[in-house]
Short mmCIF file of all heavy atoms in Angstrom, two decimals:
data_model
loop_
_atom_site.label_atom_id
_atom_site.label_comp_id
_atom_site.label_asym_id
_atom_site.label_seq_id
_atom_site.Cartn_x
_atom_site.Cartn_y
_atom_site.Cartn_z
N VAL A 593 -1.62 17.72 3.67
CA VAL A 593 -1.23 18.81 4.56
C VAL A 593 -1.33 20.11 3.78
O VAL A 593 -1.17 20.12 2.56
CB VAL A 593 0.20 18.63 5.13
CG1 VAL A 593 0.27 17.44 6.07
CG2 VAL A 593 1.22 18.47 4.01
N GLY A 594 -1.59 21.22 4.49
CA GLY A 594 -1.90 22.46 3.79
C GLY A 594 -0.86 23.56 3.89
O GLY A 594 -1.07 24.65 3.36
N ASP A 595 0.27 23.31 4.56
CA ASP A 595 1.33 24.33 4.57
C ASP A 595 2.71 23.68 4.53
O ASP A 595 2.85 22.47 4.74
CB ASP A 595 1.18 25.27 5.77
CG ASP A 595 1.51 24.59 7.09
OD1 ASP A 595 2.70 24.32 7.34
OD2 ASP A 595 0.57 24.34 7.86
N GLY A 596 3.70 24.51 4.25
CA GLY A 596 5.05 24.00 4.01
C GLY A 596 5.71 23.41 5.25
O GLY A 596 6.45 22.43 5.15
N ARG A 597 5.41 23.98 6.39
CA ARG A 597 6.00 23.46 7.63
C ARG A 597 5.50 22.05 7.91
O ARG A 597 6.27 21.14 8.20
CB ARG A 597 5.65 24.43 8.79
CG ARG A 597 5.93 23.95 10.19
CD ARG A 597 7.36 23.51 10.40
NE ARG A 597 8.35 24.52 10.04
CZ ARG A 597 9.65 24.26 9.87
NH1 ARG A 597 10.12 23.04 10.02
NH2 ARG A 597 10.48 25.22 9.53
N ALA A 598 4.18 21.86 7.79
CA ALA A 598 3.59 20.53 8.00
C ALA A 598 4.12 19.55 6.96
O ALA A 598 4.40 18.38 7.28
CB ALA A 598 2.06 20.62 7.93
N ALA A 599 4.28 20.02 5.73
CA ALA A 599 4.80 19.16 4.66
C ALA A 599 6.17 18.62 5.05
O ALA A 599 6.44 17.42 4.94
CB ALA A 599 4.88 19.93 3.35
N PHE A 600 7.04 19.49 5.52
CA PHE A 600 8.39 19.08 5.92
C PHE A 600 8.33 18.11 7.10
O PHE A 600 8.95 17.04 7.08
CB PHE A 600 9.22 20.31 6.29
CG PHE A 600 10.61 19.95 6.78
CD1 PHE A 600 11.60 19.58 5.88
CD2 PHE A 600 10.90 19.96 8.14
CE1 PHE A 600 12.87 19.22 6.33
CE2 PHE A 600 12.17 19.62 8.59
CZ PHE A 600 13.15 19.24 7.68
N ASP A 601 7.55 18.46 8.13
CA ASP A 601 7.46 17.61 9.33
C ASP A 601 6.93 16.21 8.99
O ASP A 601 7.48 15.21 9.43
CB ASP A 601 6.55 18.26 10.38
CG ASP A 601 7.20 19.49 11.00
OD1 ASP A 601 8.43 19.66 10.83
OD2 ASP A 601 6.48 20.29 11.64
N TYR A 602 5.86 16.15 8.20
CA TYR A 602 5.29 14.86 7.83
C TYR A 602 6.28 14.05 6.98
O TYR A 602 6.44 12.86 7.17
CB TYR A 602 3.97 15.05 7.06
CG TYR A 602 2.76 15.19 7.94
CD1 TYR A 602 2.61 16.30 8.78
CD2 TYR A 602 1.75 14.24 7.94
CE1 TYR A 602 1.49 16.44 9.58
CE2 TYR A 602 0.63 14.38 8.73
CZ TYR A 602 0.50 15.48 9.55
OH TYR A 602 -0.61 15.62 10.34
N ALA A 603 6.91 14.75 6.04
CA ALA A 603 7.85 14.05 5.15
C ALA A 603 8.99 13.44 5.95
O ALA A 603 9.45 12.33 5.66
CB ALA A 603 8.39 15.01 4.10
N MET A 604 9.44 14.14 6.99
CA MET A 604 10.58 13.68 7.77
C MET A 604 10.25 12.50 8.69
O MET A 604 11.15 11.88 9.26
CB MET A 604 11.16 14.83 8.59
CG MET A 604 11.94 15.85 7.76
SD MET A 604 13.27 15.10 6.78
CE MET A 604 14.44 14.66 8.08
N THR A 605 8.97 12.17 8.83
CA THR A 605 8.63 11.01 9.66
C THR A 605 9.07 9.71 8.97
O THR A 605 9.19 8.69 9.62
CB THR A 605 7.10 10.89 9.89
OG1 THR A 605 6.45 10.71 8.61
CG2 THR A 605 6.55 12.12 10.59
N GLY A 606 9.30 9.78 7.66
CA GLY A 606 9.71 8.58 6.94
C GLY A 606 8.56 7.63 6.65
O GLY A 606 8.77 6.54 6.14
N GLY A 607 7.34 8.06 6.95
CA GLY A 607 6.19 7.18 6.78
C GLY A 607 5.52 7.28 5.41
O GLY A 607 4.40 6.79 5.23
N PHE A 608 6.19 7.92 4.45
CA PHE A 608 5.57 8.10 3.14
C PHE A 608 6.49 7.62 2.02
O PHE A 608 7.71 7.68 2.14
CB PHE A 608 5.21 9.58 2.92
CG PHE A 608 4.18 10.07 3.90
CD1 PHE A 608 4.57 10.66 5.08
CD2 PHE A 608 2.83 9.88 3.66
CE1 PHE A 608 3.63 11.09 6.02
CE2 PHE A 608 1.88 10.29 4.58
CZ PHE A 608 2.28 10.90 5.76
N ASP A 609 5.87 7.14 0.95
CA ASP A 609 6.64 6.62 -0.18
C ASP A 609 6.94 7.69 -1.21
O ASP A 609 7.86 7.55 -2.01
CB ASP A 609 5.86 5.49 -0.87
CG ASP A 609 5.55 4.37 0.10
OD1 ASP A 609 6.49 3.90 0.76
OD2 ASP A 609 4.37 3.99 0.22
N LEU A 610 6.13 8.77 -1.20
CA LEU A 610 6.28 9.83 -2.21
C LEU A 610 5.51 11.06 -1.76
O LEU A 610 4.52 10.94 -1.04
CB LEU A 610 5.74 9.31 -3.55
CG LEU A 610 5.82 10.21 -4.78
CD1 LEU A 610 6.08 9.35 -6.02
CD2 LEU A 610 4.56 11.03 -4.99
N MET A 611 5.98 12.23 -2.18
CA MET A 611 5.24 13.46 -1.87
C MET A 611 4.89 14.20 -3.16
O MET A 611 5.72 14.34 -4.06
CB MET A 611 6.05 14.39 -0.96
CG MET A 611 5.38 15.75 -0.76
SD MET A 611 5.88 16.67 0.71
CE MET A 611 7.62 16.92 0.41
N VAL A 612 3.64 14.67 -3.22
CA VAL A 612 3.20 15.59 -4.26
C VAL A 612 3.22 16.97 -3.62
O VAL A 612 2.51 17.21 -2.65
CB VAL A 612 1.78 15.25 -4.76
CG1 VAL A 612 1.31 16.26 -5.78
CG2 VAL A 612 1.76 13.83 -5.35
N LEU A 613 4.08 17.85 -4.10
CA LEU A 613 4.38 19.09 -3.40
C LEU A 613 4.04 20.32 -4.23
O LEU A 613 4.64 20.57 -5.27
CB LEU A 613 5.88 19.09 -3.04
CG LEU A 613 6.48 20.33 -2.38
CD1 LEU A 613 5.86 20.57 -1.01
CD2 LEU A 613 8.00 20.17 -2.25
N ASP A 614 3.08 21.09 -3.75
CA ASP A 614 2.73 22.35 -4.39
C ASP A 614 3.82 23.38 -4.10
O ASP A 614 4.42 23.36 -3.02
CB ASP A 614 1.38 22.83 -3.83
CG ASP A 614 0.90 24.12 -4.47
OD1 ASP A 614 1.18 24.32 -5.68
OD2 ASP A 614 0.24 24.92 -3.77
N ILE A 615 4.10 24.26 -5.06
CA ILE A 615 5.14 25.27 -4.83
C ILE A 615 4.60 26.44 -4.00
O ILE A 615 5.22 26.88 -3.05
CB ILE A 615 5.71 25.79 -6.19
CG1 ILE A 615 6.50 24.67 -6.88
CG2 ILE A 615 6.59 27.02 -5.99
CD1 ILE A 615 7.62 24.09 -6.04
N GLY A 616 3.40 26.91 -4.35
CA GLY A 616 2.83 28.05 -3.63
C GLY A 616 2.10 27.60 -2.37
O GLY A 616 0.89 27.38 -2.39
N LEU A 617 2.84 27.42 -1.28
CA LEU A 617 2.27 26.98 0.00
C LEU A 617 2.46 28.05 1.05
O LEU A 617 3.47 28.76 1.04
CB LEU A 617 2.98 25.70 0.48
CG LEU A 617 2.66 24.38 -0.20
CD1 LEU A 617 3.56 23.29 0.38
CD2 LEU A 617 1.20 24.01 -0.04
N PRO A 618 1.50 28.18 2.00
CA PRO A 618 1.71 29.12 3.10
C PRO A 618 2.80 28.65 4.07
O PRO A 618 3.17 27.48 4.05
CB PRO A 618 0.34 29.16 3.80
CG PRO A 618 -0.45 28.03 3.27
CD PRO A 618 0.20 27.52 2.04
N VAL A 619 3.29 29.57 4.87
CA VAL A 619 4.32 29.36 5.89
C VAL A 619 5.71 29.16 5.28
O VAL A 619 6.66 29.86 5.60
CB VAL A 619 4.01 28.20 6.88
CG1 VAL A 619 5.05 28.17 7.99
CG2 VAL A 619 2.60 28.32 7.42
#
Side-chain angles (χ1 to χ4, degrees):
V593 293
D595 70 72
R597 168 54 55 195
F600 177 77
D601 289 345
Y602 274 66
M604 286 305 289
T605 62
F608 296 93
D609 301 309
L610 181 145
M611 173 158 62
V612 176
L613 176 64
D614 182 33
I615 292 304
L617 285 175
V619 187

